[in-house]
Amino acid sequence: AQDGDKQAAGNTFSQLLKEAPADAPWRALVEQQLAGLDAPAPAPATAPGPDREQIAAAAQMTASERQTMIRNMVDGLAERLTEDGQDLDGWLRLINARMVLGEQDKAVLALKSAREHFKQDEAALSRIANAATKLGLN
């Protein structure tokens, strides 16, 4: 991208997203870079995100407007999980997004909520613990 080869950068970013775990702490940053290239990001099967039109619109925004849009999306996810907390992947995305946004206190609250929602599910608790460890939230 720095050399002006948006196509190659887009391909590289797209491949990174395709191979990345849904809870990768750097996913949002790569998606932002991809949006800045005016290239559509692939939608991971396990992690819903913006569609092509939204990505194109985001590319036309200022950095401040993009940040506001991202925060609104994250807050919307948090609200949805408050209403229906049985979406483990959603909790993992929320915890990760809060950390990427520098909102560690909110990430810790989301982590506690996720653990509470899945307190009877050992497999889910294991995934939550793994994500917490990767993010340094133990």
Side-chain angles (χ1 to χ4, degrees):
Q2 291 175 344
D3 293 335
D5 190 348
K6 289 183 177 184
Q7 182 66 38
N11 291 341
T12 301
F13 290 143
S14 294
Q15 190 63 33
L16 278 171
L17 291 174
K18 182 178 176 185
E19 296 173 4
D23 61 348
W26 43 264
R27 177 178 281 283
L29 298 174
V30 173
E31 289 170 341
Q32 285 179 335
Q33 290 295 315
L34 190 57
L37 296 173
D38 295 328
T46 59
D51 61 25
R52 290 176 189 238
E53 289 178 11
Q54 291 169 320
I55 292 170
Q60 302 303 315
M61 295 177 178
T62 66
S64 175
E65 290 170 332
R66 265 194 302 276
Q67 191 69 13
T68 298
M69 179 192 71
I70 291 166
R71 285 188 186 280
N72 288 339
M73 289 172 63
V74 172
D75 289 343
L77 174 60
E79 185 176 317
R80 182 178 62 78
L81 290 171
T82 299
E83 295 170 8
D84 177 16
Q86 296 308 306
D87 179 3
L88 177 59
D89 288 330
W91 282 110
L92 297 176
R93 282 192 306 277
L94 178 61
I95 295 163
N96 180 67
R98 293 293 192 199
M99 289 298 289
V100 169
L101 291 172
E103 299 173 341
Q104 184 171 350
D105 57 333
K106 290 182 179 181
V108 169
L109 290 174
L111 177 62
K112 288 178 183 178
S113 293
R115 286 179 172 150
E116 181 62 27
H117 281 286
F118 293 97
K119 64 185 173 189
Q120 302 298 325
D121 184 338
E122 288 299 319
L125 289 172
S126 177
R127 287 186 61 199
I128 293 166
N130 186 34
T133 298
K134 287 180 182 177
L135 294 170
L137 290 175
N138 286 335

